[in-house]
Amino acid sequence: GIQVEQSPPDLILQEGANSTLRCNFSDSVNNLQWFHQNPWGQLINLFYIPSGTKQNGRLSATTVATERYSLLYISSSQTTDSGVYFCAVDRGSTLGRLYFGRGTQLTVWP
Amino acid sequence: NAGVTQTPKFRVLKTGQSMTLLCAQDMNHEYMYWYRQDPGMGLRLIHYSVGEGTTAKGEVPDGYNVSRLKKQNFLLGLESAAPSQTSVYFCASSYEGVLGSYNSPLHFGNGTRLTVT
């Protein structure tokens, strides 16, 4: 399978700060998604971004497929941003085989 | 529109007991998946289905069976539960896409917390 490494594993911020989360992957992919797992365990899809840049409010993501990494930017963080952020990839050769990283645990303090 | 619904939310089993987890989606998605989440491990794919009547193994299929008799339902069975199957189980679904591409966002259920004693 594809190896997915996320960094940092843990991140603690004060409300209002900006942050960048990184996802490195070991093979070429044509499917990359970012997810947020809130403190109640719910998993929400943030971005489907196999390449390029997308923005959604205070969140944006960039994937440089040729260099095998993706970045998730959180600006003006809020306490509701707390939770675990997962990156998941698939090379597309086998349907449905998304490989998840171990996540970045983000804690935002008021 | 409920999205992806998992039942039950919690369950405690004794070693050797069996059970079935039910996943239902109302988005007419072709693809459905079962993942397990363990501390520090991220999510790992157990089994998946690309359409009604089809199933396939994922990364960690041993000890589990699945069935997709109806498009909207995906069942995960544990025939003889073991403590190593204590985990949080997530079901997900995705739409095939206009051009038949499987590259579409995953939608997750809220999870089932299973403890095997």
Side-chain angles (χ1 to χ4, degrees):
Chain A
I2 303 173
Q3 304 303 310
V4 182
E5 294 183 0
Q6 292 187 243
S7 60
D10 297 278
L11 186 59
I12 300 175
L13 300 173
Q14 192 146 24
E15 208 167 23
N18 302 328
S19 61
T20 301
L21 283 59
R22 187 177 179 102
C23 171
N24 291 334
F25 41 94
S26 62
D27 203 348
S28 58
V29 300
N30 64 4
N31 187 347
L32 188 147
Q33 301 184 29
W34 283 97
F35 296 89
H36 175 222
Q37 186 170 38
N38 64 25
W40 296 270
Q42 294 174 317
L43 279 155
I44 306 297
N45 188 289
L46 297 175
F47 293 104
Y48 163 69
I49 185 166
S51 63
T53 298
K54 288 186 178 179
Q55 181 157 6
N56 184 2
R58 296 181 295 103
L59 273 62
S60 63
T62 296
T63 297
V64 183
T66 53
E67 297 186 22
R68 300 183 184 172
Y69 73 89
S70 182
L71 302 174
L72 178 69
Y73 304 96
I74 305 175
S75 64
S76 302
S77 58
Q78 300 176 358
T79 56
T80 52
D81 295 331
S82 295
V84 183
Y85 289 81
F86 289 103
C87 167
V89 304
D90 178 21
R91 67 165 65 90
S93 60
T94 306
L95 295 174
R97 297 293 298 262
L98 268 184
Y99 294 90
F100 280 75
R102 296 191 175 194
T104 292
Q105 172 77 56
L106 174 65
T107 303
V108 181
W109 293 94
Chain B
N1 189 334
V4 180
T5 304
Q6 291 183 232
T7 53
K9 291 183 172 55
F10 304 94
R11 185 72 185 269
V12 178
L13 290 179
K14 292 185 178 180
T15 297
Q17 288 184 318
S18 63
M19 79 162 294
T20 300
L21 281 67
L22 172 64
C23 176
Q25 53 93 6
D26 61 2
M27 296 174 283
N28 201 34
H29 285 174
E30 288 292 337
Y31 304 103
M32 298 187 74
Y33 318 85
W34 276 107
Y35 287 90
R36 61 178 288 174
Q37 184 178 27
D38 302 299
M41 296 292 292
L43 278 80
R44 292 181 293 170
L45 184 64
I46 306 171
H47 286 282
Y48 64 100
S49 168
V50 301
E52 181 179 317
T54 70
T55 62
K57 294 180 179 180
E59 293 177 75
V60 289
D62 295 341
Y64 305 96
N65 56 75
V66 288
S67 64
R68 184 99 181 266
L69 298 180
K70 292 184 178 181
K71 184 177 182 178
Q72 63 268 33
N73 296 335
F74 195 28
L75 278 62
L76 178 70
L78 285 73
E79 292 184 347
S80 179
S84 61
Q85 294 177 304
T86 293
S87 188
V88 180
Y89 292 85
F90 286 96
C91 176
S93 69
S94 63
Y95 180 63
E96 182 177 9
V98 175
L99 299 179
S101 167
Y102 41 80
N103 295 326
S104 59
L106 282 187
H107 297 264
F108 280 92
N110 287 336
T112 295
R113 186 173 295 276
L114 174 66
T115 302
V116 183
T117 62

